[in-house]
Amino acid sequence: TRRQGFLIYPNPTSGNLNIQCPGNSSANATIYDVLGRPIKQYSFTPGSLGIAEIYLGPIAPGIYVFVFTQNGKRYVQKVVVE
C-alpha cells in the first residue's frame, strides 16, 4: 500500500517485506504493536531500484504500525502479519 511515498508489499505478509522508498537515501523503521509498544527497529538503505527487503523474524500475527523516518520526514503505515 502506498502511503506518502512508501510502497510496502506484500501486505498482509508472513515475514518478509519489500519497501520501496521515495529516493535512495537510508531510512529507519520502528514497528509498534496495537498498544503502541515498540517491537523492532530497522535501519536500511534501498538498493539501486529504491527497494529494501526486511525480514520481520518471529513476530506474532496481528496488525502493526510501521513508522518510517527518512530525510527528516516521518511516514506511518499499517501492516498485517499473518
Side-chain angles (χ1 to χ4, degrees), residues 13-35:
T13 184
S14 59
N16 289 332
L17 276 179
N18 295 302
I19 303 167
Q20 186 172 349
C21 304
N24 289 339
S25 60
S26 61
N28 297 307
T30 303
I31 304 171
Y32 295 90
D33 67 12
V34 293
L35 299 176

Side-chain angles (χ1 to χ4, degrees), residues 1-3 13 15 21 32 35 37 45 49 51 57 60-61 65 67 74 81:
T1 304
R2 184 174 287 279
R3 295 280 177 143
T13 184
C21 304
Y32 295 90
L35 299 176
R37 297 177 298 201
T45 301
L49 298 176
I51 299 172
V65 176
V67 178
R74 184 177 155 150
V81 176

